[in-house]
Amino acid sequence: RLIIVTNPKMDHQAILEAAYMNIPVIAFCDSDSPMEYVDVAIPCNNKAKNSVGILYWFLTREVLRLRGGVSRAIPWDVKADLFFYRDPEEVEKAQAEAEGAAAAAGFEEVDAHALVDASAYAGSSDWADASNTWEGSAGQYQAPAGFDTATPEGY
């Protein structure tokens, strides 16, 4: 049994109860963190979320190496950003901004229902066939059976 604490100032109650039960405490400590009842202090910046994510990434990697799960000769391929918390609302907002930027640049999403099988226009499903060429006027190709040209989607 072991308790790992990110901020001893905020988690003082858990540290105090662990001391009553003789459970060792490892804490990520800043310069203003209280050290009372902390068994192992890891000096670090525990205020920034990216710093805390990197610290847990390092701690996880070292625990796996001590247990023999990961060799020190092989680089660890787990990315540190997997340990960062991402607010789902911020992720959705970033995706919406990316879609808006793509739309502003002139890129459009393709509607899958508007796509028509091009082999029906050529008369054959074999694209490698030499007779399937798109040269000439577009009027020489007939619409497939059941294709309604009056509706925008063609259905």
Side-chain angles (χ1 to χ4, degrees):
R1 296 187 296 179
L2 174 74
I3 292 183
I4 300 173
V5 177
T6 303
N7 190 350
K9 190 181 287 187
M10 300 300 292
D11 298 324
H12 61 88
Q13 185 66 35
I15 293 172
L16 183 64
E17 291 178 12
Y20 289 149
M21 299 297 297
N22 291 327
I23 298 174
V25 176
I26 296 175
F28 295 135
C29 295
D30 204 355
S31 60
D32 63 345
S33 298
M35 299 296 296
E36 192 174 16
Y37 304 118
V38 173
D39 297 309
V40 177
I42 300 172
C44 62
N45 176 12
N46 60 4
K47 304 293 187 257
K49 65 180 180 178
N50 292 341
S51 175
V52 172
I54 293 290
L55 290 168
Y56 277 108
W57 181 80
F58 277 124
L59 187 64
T60 304
R61 184 181 67 173
E62 288 304 312
V63 167
L64 288 175
R65 285 182 173 172
L66 290 173
R67 288 184 177 178
V70 176
S71 172
R72 291 194 184 270
I74 300 171
W76 201 36
D77 59 351
V78 176
K79 303 293 182 202
D81 63 350
L82 294 175
F83 289 82
F84 298 153
Y85 173 76
R86 290 181 190 86
D87 188 17
E89 293 175 359
E90 290 179 11
V91 172
E92 290 174 3
K93 189 184 299 182
Q95 288 175 347
E97 289 174 3
E99 290 173 1
F107 298 108
E108 297 179 6
E109 288 189 28
V110 177
D111 184 14
H113 298 291
L115 298 178
V116 178
D117 185 17
S119 64
Y121 289 103
S124 173
S125 63
D126 185 13
W127 285 94
D129 187 9
S131 65
N132 287 336
T133 59
W134 291 93
E135 297 174 2
S137 65
Q140 71 184 9
Y141 298 106
Q142 297 297 320
F147 186 83
D148 183 14
T149 58
T151 60
E153 291 89 19
Y155 296 105

